[in-house]
Amino acid sequence: MTREIIIAPSILAADFARLGEEIAAIDAAGADWIHCDVMDGHFVPNISFGAEIIKAIRPVTSKIFDVHLMIAPVDPYLEAFAKAGADVITVHAEAGPHLDRSLQAIRALGKKAGVSLCPATLESAIEYVLDRLDLVLVMTVNPGFGGQSFLDSQLEKISRIRSMIGDRPIRLEVDGGVTRDNAAAVAAAGADTLVAGSAVFRGKSSADYAGNIAAIRVAAEAGRVPRLQHSSVPSMRAGEGVRIR
Ligand code: DX5
Ligand code: ZN
């Protein structure tokens, strides 16, 4: 069995005036997860949306909601995002001094726990919390905006984190500037979960989105390194709920 590639379109690049329709379109287009970028204008220099919007769009799809919290403080809001319908909740290692506590809180809410690292953050930041993780998200842009260029400097970090993860059932996600042109390199470095915003929401129709998602998936599948394939890595696909252990 090979490790599946998960494609998670970021709805930050969707038309917010038609958000429900846009989510239905990427659902039909073959998105595996729905990536929700929450920004607070404090931890990152932009404001996007919060738990109420996530709650409103939750009924549109049964796909996994992959909620990326770019907010600080984060702990006071975890319960709200859990109740809104998040399946995976990812916090930033840089968002506060008590990452271990935040990760415990996410699992205590019955959700999958993720940690994200900004481009300048060393992978060693997660060394002592690996067993509390279901997902590691490597930022390949500085968080805050869609449509930025992929930072090649992060490929080495992805590769190092892949080694740190070993056989643990942890997904390795990459976010920022991912396109069909760099998806192979991202997967070759060891990523198995690819977020893409502007590269997916290009065109207007679900058919356009399907072509964009398929192109990223095909490139990522082609780039996968056989030695990195683990049957133990969970898929967290829709229908499997969050039971990955
Ligand atoms: C950046 C966000 C990303 C971003 C991805 O802060 O976390 O998810 O929206 O968008 P693209 O793929 O356009 O870089
Ligand atoms: Zn994101």
Side-chain angles (χ1 to χ4, degrees):
M1 182 179 161
T2 57
R3 188 163 46 91
E4 292 171 279
I5 293 287
I6 293 284
I7 307 294
S10 166
I11 59 172
L12 191 64
D15 177 353
F16 282 0
R18 300 185 300 108
L19 191 52
E21 291 167 40
E22 290 274 75
I23 290 164
I26 53 169
D27 184 338
D32 298 307
W33 292 1
I34 310 298
H35 187 80
C36 304
D37 285 309
V38 176
M39 302 177 179
D40 67 352
H42 170 71
F43 178 68
V44 290
N46 195 10
I47 299 174
S48 59
F49 52 81
E52 286 301 318
I53 298 290
I54 290 175
K55 185 177 169 188
I57 59 178
R58 180 65 276 190
V60 176
T61 176
S62 60
K63 301 251 165 102
I64 295 283
F65 268 22
D66 175 33
V67 176
H68 178 191
L69 298 179
M70 288 163 273
I71 64 176
V74 66
D75 289 2
Y77 302 100
L78 293 174
E79 186 175 2
F81 285 100
K83 285 186 171 161
D87 297 298
V88 184
I89 299 179
T90 296
V91 299
H92 266 265
E94 306 87 356
H98 304 297
L99 176 61
D100 186 275
R101 176 182 290 145
S102 301
L103 296 171
Q104 287 192 58
I106 295 168
R107 283 191 168 171
L109 289 162
K111 305 300 178 182
K112 294 301 166 195
V115 64
S116 182
L117 301 179
C118 289
T121 302
L122 293 170
E123 64 276 7
S124 57
I126 61 171
E127 192 172 345
Y128 293 98
V129 295
L130 279 171
D131 290 325
R132 298 207 187 281
L133 292 173
D134 301 293
L135 178 142
V136 177
L137 191 171
V138 176
M139 290 303 305
T140 41
V141 298
N142 287 291
F145 303 94
Q148 303 181 79
S149 297
F150 183 89
L151 296 171
D152 289 330
S153 60
Q154 301 305 298
L155 289 170
E156 185 178 343
K157 189 196 287 183
I158 296 164
S159 173
R160 288 183 187 176
I161 293 175
R162 168 51 63 200
S163 297
M164 288 168 69
I165 287 172
D167 284 330
R168 291 178 179 85
I170 298 174
R171 284 229 153 235
L172 180 46
E173 184 172 49
V174 171
D175 184 7
V178 172
T179 67
R180 64 183 73 190
D181 297 325
N182 57 31
V186 165
D192 52 42
T193 305
L194 281 65
V195 176
S198 35
V200 167
F201 287 94
R202 193 169 287 146
K204 288 199 185 316
S205 68
S206 186
D208 292 329
Y209 300 165
N212 298 336
I213 290 170
I216 295 167
R217 191 189 305 281
V218 166
E221 297 278 1
R224 283 196 299 186
V225 181
R227 71 180 168 79
L228 295 174
Q229 292 173 354
H230 298 289
S231 60
S232 61
V233 173
S235 70
M236 288 195 276
R237 275 185 181 276
E240 293 177 0
V242 292
R243 296 185 307 279
I244 61 167
R245 294 232 160 123

